[in-house]
Coordinates of all heavy atoms in Angstrom, one line a residue:
R1 N 0.8 -1.2 0.0 CA 0.0 0.0 0.0 C 0.9 1.2 0.0 O 2.0 1.2 0.4 CB -0.9 0.0 1.2 CG -1.8 -1.2 1.3 CD -2.9 -1.1 0.3 NE -3.6 -2.4 0.1 CZ -4.8 -2.7 0.7 NH1 -5.3 -1.9 1.5 NH2 -5.3 -3.9 0.4
Y2 N 0.3 2.3 -0.4 CA 1.1 3.6 -0.5 C 0.7 4.5 0.7 O -0.4 5.0 0.7 CB 0.8 4.3 -1.8 CG 1.4 3.5 -3.0 CD1 0.6 2.6 -3.6 CD2 2.6 3.8 -3.4 CE1 1.2 1.8 -4.6 CE2 3.2 3.1 -4.4 CZ 2.4 2.1 -5.1 OH 3.0 1.4 -6.1
V3 N 1.6 4.6 1.7 CA 1.3 5.4 2.9 C 1.8 6.9 2.6 O 2.9 7.1 2.0 CB 2.1 4.8 4.0 CG1 1.9 5.7 5.3 CG2 1.6 3.4 4.3
I4 N 0.9 7.8 3.0 CA 1.1 9.2 2.7 C 2.0 9.7 3.9 O 1.6 9.7 5.0 CB -0.2 10.0 2.7 CG1 -1.0 9.5 1.5 CG2 0.1 11.5 2.6 CD1 -2.5 10.0 1.6
R5 N 3.2 10.0 3.5 CA 4.2 10.5 4.6 C 4.1 11.9 4.8 O 4.3 12.4 5.9 CB 5.6 10.1 4.1 CG 5.8 8.7 4.0 CD 6.1 8.0 5.3 NE 6.4 6.7 5.1 CZ 6.0 5.7 5.8 NH1 5.2 6.0 6.9 NH2 6.3 4.4 5.6
R6 N 3.8 12.7 3.7 CA 3.7 14.2 3.9 C 2.7 14.8 2.9 O 2.6 14.3 1.8 CB 5.1 14.8 3.6 CG 5.1 16.3 3.8 CD 6.5 16.8 3.6 NE 6.4 18.3 3.8 CZ 7.5 19.0 3.5 NH1 8.6 18.6 3.1 NH2 7.4 20.3 3.7
I7 N 1.9 15.7 3.4 CA 1.0 16.4 2.5 C 1.5 17.9 2.4 O 1.6 18.6 3.4 CB -0.5 16.4 3.1 CG1 -0.9 15.0 3.2 CG2 -1.4 17.3 2.3 CD1 -2.3 14.8 3.8
Y8 N 1.8 18.2 1.1 CA 2.3 19.5 0.9 C 1.2 20.5 0.8 O 0.1 20.2 0.3 CB 3.1 19.6 -0.4 CG 4.3 18.7 -0.3 CD1 4.3 17.4 -0.7 CD2 5.5 19.3 0.0 CE1 5.5 16.6 -0.7 CE2 6.7 18.5 0.1 CZ 6.7 17.2 -0.2 OH 7.8 16.4 -0.1
D9 N 1.4 21.7 1.3 CA 0.4 22.8 1.1 C 0.9 23.6 -0.1 O 2.0 23.7 -0.4 CB 0.3 23.7 2.3 CG 1.6 24.3 2.7 OD1 2.6 24.0 2.2 OD2 1.6 25.1 3.7
G10 N -0.1 24.1 -0.9 CA 0.2 24.8 -2.1 C 0.8 26.1 -1.8 O 0.6 26.7 -0.8
E11 N 1.5 26.6 -2.8 CA 2.1 28.0 -2.7 C 1.0 28.9 -3.4 O 1.0 28.9 -4.6 CB 3.5 28.1 -3.3 CG 4.5 27.2 -2.6 CD 5.8 27.3 -3.2 OE1 6.0 28.0 -4.2 OE2 6.8 26.6 -2.7
Q12 N 0.3 29.6 -2.6 CA -0.8 30.4 -3.1 C -0.4 31.4 -4.2 O -1.2 31.7 -5.0 CB -1.5 31.1 -2.0 CG -2.1 30.1 -0.9 CD -3.1 29.1 -1.5 OE1 -3.8 29.4 -2.4 NE2 -3.1 28.0 -0.9
W13 N 0.8 31.9 -4.1 CA 1.2 32.9 -5.1 C 1.6 32.3 -6.5 O 1.7 33.0 -7.4 CB 2.5 33.6 -4.5 CG 3.7 32.6 -4.2 CD1 3.9 32.0 -3.1 CD2 4.7 32.2 -5.2 NE1 5.0 31.2 -3.2 CE2 5.5 31.3 -4.5 CE3 5.0 32.6 -6.5 CZ2 6.6 30.8 -5.0 CZ3 6.1 32.0 -7.0 CH2 6.9 31.1 -6.3
N14 N 1.7 30.9 -6.5 CA 2.0 30.3 -7.8 C 1.0 29.3 -8.2 O 0.9 28.2 -7.6 CB 3.4 29.6 -7.6 CG 3.9 29.1 -8.9 OD1 3.2 29.0 -10.0 ND2 5.2 28.7 -9.0
P15 N 0.1 29.6 -9.1 CA -1.0 28.8 -9.5 C -0.5 27.5 -10.2 O -1.3 26.6 -10.4 CB -1.8 29.6 -10.4 CG -0.9 30.6 -11.0 CD 0.1 30.9 -9.9
F16 N 0.7 27.4 -10.6 CA 1.2 26.2 -11.3 C 1.7 25.1 -10.3 O 2.1 24.0 -10.7 CB 2.3 26.6 -12.3 CG 1.8 27.6 -13.3 CD1 2.2 28.9 -13.3 CD2 1.0 27.1 -14.3 CE1 1.8 29.8 -14.2 CE2 0.5 28.0 -15.3 CZ 0.9 29.3 -15.2
L17 N 1.7 25.4 -9.0 CA 2.2 24.4 -8.0 C 0.9 24.0 -7.2 O 0.6 24.7 -6.2 CB 3.2 25.0 -7.1 CG 4.6 25.4 -7.8 CD1 5.5 26.0 -6.8 CD2 5.2 24.1 -8.4
A18 N 0.3 23.0 -7.6 CA -0.9 22.5 -6.9 C -0.6 21.6 -5.8 O 0.4 20.9 -5.9 CB -1.8 21.8 -8.0
A19 N -1.4 21.5 -4.9 CA -1.3 20.6 -3.7 C -2.7 19.9 -3.5 O -3.4 20.3 -2.6 CB -0.8 21.3 -2.5
P20 N -3.0 19.0 -4.3 CA -4.4 18.4 -4.4 C -4.8 17.8 -3.0 O -5.9 17.9 -2.6 CB -4.3 17.3 -5.4 CG -3.1 17.6 -6.2 CD -2.2 18.4 -5.4
L21 N -3.9 17.2 -2.2 CA -4.3 16.6 -1.0 C -4.5 17.6 0.1 O -5.2 17.2 1.1 CB -3.3 15.6 -0.6 CG -3.1 14.3 -1.5 CD1 -2.1 13.4 -0.9 CD2 -4.4 13.6 -1.7
S22 N -4.2 18.8 0.0 CA -4.4 19.9 1.0 C -5.6 20.7 0.6 O -5.9 21.7 1.3 CB -3.2 20.7 1.2 OG -2.9 21.5 0.1
A23 N -6.3 20.4 -0.5 CA -7.5 21.2 -0.9 C -8.6 21.1 0.2 O -8.7 20.0 0.8 CB -7.9 20.8 -2.3
P24 N -9.4 22.1 0.3 CA -10.5 22.0 1.2 C -11.5 20.8 0.9 O -11.7 20.6 -0.3 CB -11.3 23.4 1.0 CG -10.2 24.3 0.4 CD -9.4 23.4 -0.3
G25 N -11.9 20.1 1.9 CA -12.9 19.1 1.7 C -12.2 17.7 1.4 O -12.9 16.7 1.3
V26 N -10.9 17.7 1.2 CA -10.2 16.4 0.9 C -9.9 15.8 2.2 O -9.1 16.3 3.0 CB -9.0 16.6 0.0 CG1 -8.2 15.3 -0.2 CG2 -9.3 17.2 -1.3
D27 N -10.5 14.6 2.5 CA -10.3 14.0 3.8 C -9.2 13.0 3.8 O -9.3 11.7 3.7 CB -11.6 13.3 4.2 CG -11.6 12.6 5.5 OD1 -10.8 13.1 6.4 OD2 -12.4 11.8 5.9
V28 N -7.9 13.5 3.7 CA -6.7 12.6 3.7 C -5.8 13.2 4.7 O -5.6 14.4 4.8 CB -6.1 12.7 2.3 CG1 -4.8 11.9 2.3 CG2 -7.0 12.0 1.2
K29 N -5.1 12.3 5.4 CA -4.2 12.8 6.5 C -2.8 12.0 6.4 O -2.8 11.0 5.8 CB -4.8 12.5 7.9 CG -6.1 13.2 8.1 CD -6.7 12.7 9.4 CE -8.0 13.4 9.6 NZ -9.0 12.9 8.7
Q30 N -1.8 12.6 6.9 CA -0.5 11.9 6.9 C -0.7 10.6 7.7 O -1.4 10.6 8.7 CB 0.5 12.8 7.6 CG 0.9 14.0 6.7 CD 2.0 14.9 7.4 OE1 2.4 14.6 8.5 NE2 2.4 15.9 6.7
G31 N -0.1 9.6 7.2 CA -0.2 8.3 7.8 C -1.3 7.4 7.1 O -1.3 6.2 7.4
D32 N -2.2 8.0 6.4 CA -3.2 7.2 5.7 C -2.5 6.5 4.5 O -1.5 6.9 4.0 CB -4.3 8.2 5.0 CG -5.2 8.7 6.0 OD1 -5.2 8.3 7.2 OD2 -6.0 9.7 5.7
A33 N -3.1 5.4 4.2 CA -2.7 4.5 3.1 C -3.7 4.6 1.9 O -4.9 4.5 2.2 CB -2.5 3.1 3.5
I34 N -3.2 4.9 0.7 CA -4.1 4.9 -0.4 C -4.2 3.5 -0.9 O -3.3 2.8 -1.2 CB -3.4 5.7 -1.6 CG1 -3.3 7.1 -1.2 CG2 -4.3 5.6 -2.9 CD1 -2.5 8.0 -2.1
V35 N -5.5 3.0 -0.8 CA -5.8 1.5 -1.1 C -6.5 1.3 -2.4 O -6.5 0.2 -2.9 CB -6.5 0.9 0.1 CG1 -5.7 0.9 1.4 CG2 -7.9 1.5 0.3
A36 N -7.1 2.4 -2.9 CA -7.7 2.3 -4.2 C -7.8 3.7 -4.9 O -7.9 4.6 -4.3 CB -9.1 1.7 -4.1
I37 N -7.7 3.6 -6.2 CA -7.9 4.8 -7.1 C -9.0 4.5 -8.0 O -9.0 3.6 -8.8 CB -6.6 5.2 -7.8 CG1 -5.5 5.5 -6.7 CG2 -6.8 6.3 -8.7 CD1 -4.2 5.8 -7.3
N38 N -10.0 5.4 -8.0 CA -11.2 5.2 -8.9 C -11.8 3.8 -8.8 O -12.2 3.3 -9.8 CB -10.9 5.6 -10.4 CG -10.7 7.1 -10.6 OD1 -11.3 7.9 -9.8 ND2 -9.9 7.4 -11.6
G39 N -11.9 3.3 -7.6 CA -12.5 2.1 -7.3 C -11.6 0.8 -7.6 O -12.0 -0.2 -7.3
R40 N -10.5 1.1 -8.2 CA -9.6 -0.1 -8.5 C -8.6 -0.2 -7.3 O -7.7 0.7 -7.1 CB -8.8 0.2 -9.7 CG -8.0 -1.0 -10.2 CD -7.3 -0.7 -11.6 NE -5.9 -1.2 -11.4 CZ -4.9 -0.5 -11.5 NH1 -4.9 0.8 -11.8 NH2 -3.7 -1.0 -11.3
E41 N -8.7 -1.4 -6.6 CA -7.8 -1.6 -5.6 C -6.3 -1.7 -6.0 O -6.0 -2.3 -7.0 CB -8.2 -2.9 -4.8 CG -7.5 -3.1 -3.5 CD -8.0 -4.4 -2.7 OE1 -9.1 -4.7 -3.0 OE2 -7.2 -4.9 -1.9
L42 N -5.5 -1.1 -5.2 CA -4.0 -1.2 -5.4 C -3.4 -2.4 -4.7 O -3.7 -2.6 -3.5 CB -3.3 0.1 -5.0 CG -3.8 1.4 -5.7 CD1 -3.1 2.6 -5.1 CD2 -3.4 1.4 -7.2
T43 N -2.5 -3.1 -5.4 CA -1.8 -4.2 -4.7 C -0.3 -3.6 -4.6 O 0.1 -2.7 -5.3 CB -1.9 -5.4 -5.5 OG1 -1.2 -5.2 -6.8 CG2 -3.3 -5.8 -5.8
P44 N 0.5 -4.4 -3.8 CA 1.9 -4.0 -3.7 C 2.6 -4.0 -5.1 O 3.6 -3.3 -5.3 CB 2.5 -5.0 -2.8 CG 1.3 -5.4 -1.9 CD 0.1 -5.4 -2.9
A45 N 2.1 -4.8 -6.0 CA 2.8 -4.9 -7.4 C 2.4 -3.8 -8.2 O 3.0 -3.6 -9.3 CB 2.4 -6.2 -8.0
D46 N 1.3 -3.0 -7.9 CA 0.9 -1.9 -8.8 C 1.8 -0.7 -8.6 O 2.3 -0.4 -7.5 CB -0.6 -1.5 -8.4 CG -1.6 -2.5 -8.8 OD1 -1.4 -3.2 -9.8 OD2 -2.6 -2.7 -8.1
N47 N 1.9 0.0 -9.7 CA 2.6 1.3 -9.7 C 1.5 2.4 -9.6 O 0.7 2.6 -10.5 CB 3.4 1.4 -11.0 CG 4.2 2.7 -11.1 OD1 3.9 3.7 -10.5 ND2 5.2 2.7 -11.9
I48 N 1.6 3.2 -8.6 CA 0.6 4.2 -8.3 C 0.6 5.3 -9.4 O -0.4 5.9 -9.8 CB 0.7 4.9 -6.9 CG1 -0.5 5.7 -6.6 CG2 2.0 5.7 -6.8 CD1 -0.6 6.1 -5.1
H49 N 1.7 5.5 -10.0 CA 1.9 6.5 -11.1 C 1.1 6.0 -12.3 O 0.5 6.8 -13.0 CB 3.3 6.7 -11.5 CG 4.1 7.3 -10.3 ND1 4.0 8.5 -9.8 CD2 5.0 6.7 -9.5 CE1 4.7 8.7 -8.7 NE2 5.4 7.6 -8.6
E50 N 1.1 4.7 -12.6 CA 0.3 4.2 -13.7 C -1.2 4.3 -13.5 O -1.9 4.6 -14.4 CB 0.6 2.7 -13.9 CG 1.9 2.4 -14.6 CD 2.2 1.0 -14.8 OE1 1.3 0.2 -14.7 OE2 3.3 0.6 -15.1
A51 N -1.6 4.2 -12.2 CA -3.0 4.4 -11.9 C -3.5 5.7 -12.1 O -4.7 6.0 -12.3 CB -3.3 3.8 -10.5
L52 N -2.6 6.7 -11.9 CA -3.0 8.2 -12.1 C -2.6 8.7 -13.5 O -2.9 9.8 -13.7 CB -2.2 9.0 -11.0 CG -2.6 8.6 -9.6 CD1 -1.7 9.3 -8.6 CD2 -4.1 9.2 -9.3
L53 N -2.1 7.9 -14.3 CA -1.7 8.4 -15.7 C -2.9 8.9 -16.4 O -3.9 8.2 -16.5 CB -1.0 7.2 -16.4 CG -0.3 7.5 -17.7 CD1 0.8 8.5 -17.5 CD2 0.1 6.3 -18.4
G54 N -2.8 10.0 -17.0 CA -3.9 10.6 -17.8 C -5.0 11.2 -17.0 O -6.0 11.5 -17.5
T55 N -4.8 11.4 -15.7 CA -5.9 12.0 -14.9 C -5.7 13.5 -14.5 O -6.5 14.1 -13.8 CB -6.1 11.2 -13.6 OG1 -4.8 11.3 -12.8 CG2 -6.4 9.8 -13.9
A56 N -4.6 14.1 -15.0 CA -4.3 15.5 -14.7 C -5.5 16.4 -15.0 O -6.1 16.3 -16.1 CB -3.1 15.9 -15.5
G57 N -5.9 17.2 -14.0 CA -7.0 18.1 -14.2 C -8.4 17.4 -14.1 O -9.4 18.1 -14.3
T58 N -8.4 16.2 -13.7 CA -9.7 15.6 -13.5 C -9.9 15.2 -12.1 O -9.0 15.2 -11.3 CB -9.8 14.3 -14.3 OG1 -8.8 13.3 -13.9 CG2 -9.6 14.5 -15.8
Q59 N -11.2 14.9 -11.7 CA -11.5 14.4 -10.4 C -11.2 12.9 -10.2 O -11.7 12.1 -11.1 CB -12.9 14.8 -10.1 CG -13.3 14.6 -8.6 CD -14.7 15.2 -8.3 OE1 -15.4 15.3 -9.2 NE2 -14.9 15.4 -7.0
V60 N -10.5 12.6 -9.2 CA -10.2 11.2 -8.9 C -10.7 10.7 -7.5 O -10.6 11.5 -6.6 CB -8.6 10.9 -8.9 CG1 -8.2 9.6 -8.5 CG2 -8.1 11.4 -10.3
A61 N -11.3 9.6 -7.5 CA -11.8 9.0 -6.3 C -10.7 8.2 -5.6 O -10.2 7.3 -6.2 CB -13.0 8.2 -6.4
L62 N -10.3 8.6 -4.3 CA -9.3 7.8 -3.6 C -10.0 7.1 -2.5 O -10.9 7.7 -1.8 CB -8.3 8.9 -3.0 CG -7.4 9.6 -3.9 CD1 -6.5 10.5 -3.1 CD2 -6.6 8.6 -4.8
T63 N -9.6 5.9 -2.2 CA -10.0 5.2 -1.0 C -8.7 5.2 -0.1 O -7.7 4.6 -0.6 CB -10.5 3.8 -1.3 OG1 -11.6 3.9 -2.2 CG2 -11.0 3.1 0.0
V64 N -8.8 5.7 1.1 CA -7.7 5.7 1.9 C -8.1 5.0 3.2 O -9.3 4.9 3.6 CB -7.2 7.2 2.3 CG1 -6.7 7.9 1.1 CG2 -8.3 8.0 2.9
Q65 N -7.1 4.6 3.9 CA -7.4 3.7 5.1 C -6.3 4.1 6.2 O -5.2 4.3 5.9 CB -7.3 2.3 4.8 CG -7.6 1.4 5.9 CD -7.6 -0.1 5.4 OE1 -8.1 -0.3 4.3 NE2 -7.1 -1.0 6.2
N66 N -6.8 4.1 7.4 CA -5.9 4.2 8.6 C -6.5 3.2 9.6 O -7.2 2.3 9.2 CB -5.9 5.6 9.1 CG -7.2 6.1 9.6 OD1 -8.2 5.3 9.8 ND2 -7.3 7.4 9.8
G67 N -6.2 3.3 10.9 CA -6.6 2.4 11.9 C -8.2 2.3 12.0 O -8.6 1.3 12.4
A68 N -8.8 3.4 11.6 CA -10.3 3.4 11.7 C -11.0 2.8 10.6 O -12.2 2.6 10.6 CB -10.7 4.9 11.8
G69 N -10.4 2.3 9.6 CA -11.0 1.7 8.4 C -11.0 2.6 7.1 O -10.6 3.7 7.2
P70 N -11.4 2.0 6.1 CA -11.4 2.8 4.8 C -12.4 3.9 4.7 O -13.5 3.8 5.3 CB -11.6 1.7 3.7 CG -12.4 0.6 4.5 CD -12.0 0.7 5.9
R71 N -12.1 4.9 3.9 CA -13.0 6.0 3.6 C -12.7 6.5 2.2 O -11.6 6.4 1.8 CB -13.0 7.1 4.7 CG -11.7 7.8 4.7 CD -11.7 8.8 5.9 NE -10.5 9.6 6.0 CZ -9.4 9.1 6.4 NH1 -9.1 7.9 6.8 NH2 -8.2 9.9 6.4
R72 N -13.7 7.1 1.6 CA -13.5 7.6 0.2 C -13.5 9.1 0.2 O -14.2 9.7 1.0 CB -14.6 7.1 -0.7 CG -14.6 5.6 -1.0 CD -15.5 5.2 -2.1 NE -15.0 5.8 -3.3 CZ -15.6 5.7 -4.5 NH1 -16.7 4.9 -4.6 NH2 -15.2 6.3 -5.6
T73 N -12.8 9.6 -0.7 CA -12.7 11.1 -0.9 C -12.3 11.3 -2.3 O -11.9 10.5 -3.0 CB -11.6 11.7 0.1 OG1 -11.8 13.1 0.0 CG2 -10.2 11.3 -0.3
S74 N -12.6 12.5 -2.7 CA -12.3 13.0 -4.2 C -11.3 14.0 -4.2 O -11.3 14.9 -3.3 CB -13.6 13.5 -4.8 OG -14.5 12.4 -5.0
V75 N -10.4 14.0 -5.2 CA -9.4 15.0 -5.3 C -9.3 15.3 -6.8 O -9.4 14.4 -7.6 CB -8.2 14.5 -4.7 CG1 -7.6 13.3 -5.3 CG2 -7.1 15.6 -4.6
V76 N -9.0 16.6 -7.1 CA -8.7 17.0 -8.5 C -7.1 17.0 -8.6 O -6.5 17.7 -7.9 CB -9.3 18.4 -8.8 CG1 -8.8 18.8 -10.2 CG2 -10.8 18.4 -8.7
V77 N -6.6 16.2 -9.5 CA -5.2 16.1 -9.7 C -4.7 16.9 -10.8 O -5.4 17.2 -11.7 CB -4.8 14.6 -9.8 CG1 -5.0 13.8 -8.5 CG2 -5.5 13.9 -11.0

């Protein structure tokens, strides 16, 4: 699984540097594991970059999990 080690905040002065996981309403925290992208479960053999290929500028559904169990959130990448 892909564990989120750090969530970057965007530099507000530069619109070309996005920080999708720090956007308002995105329910993702440091320490969460990304377990699925757009409903497709990720396995240790999967490359997360391949799962996100071609999604720039679109809304992506993430399923993340921590000790409390899985939850879904949406993010624009």
Side-chain angles (χ1 to χ4, degrees):
R1 303 287 166 95
Y2 292 88
V3 176
I4 298 169
R5 298 279 183 223
R6 182 173 179 191
I7 296 177
Y8 293 93
D9 56 356
E11 295 179 1
Q12 300 301 328
W13 58 272
N14 189 344
F16 299 106
L17 295 177
L21 295 181
S22 67
V26 176
D27 186 19
V28 175
K29 299 171 185 65
Q30 290 180 359
D32 287 348
I34 300 173
V35 296
I37 296 176
N38 286 334
R40 188 178 134 239
E41 187 173 339
L42 297 175
T43 67
D46 289 326
N47 182 335
I48 194 167
H49 301 290
E50 285 181 13
L52 293 169
L53 190 65
T55 62
T58 65
Q59 189 170 20
V60 173
L62 295 179
T63 303
V64 295
Q65 182 173 322
N66 61 16
R71 65 187 183 285
R72 290 191 66 179
T73 190
S74 294
V75 63
V76 176
V77 292

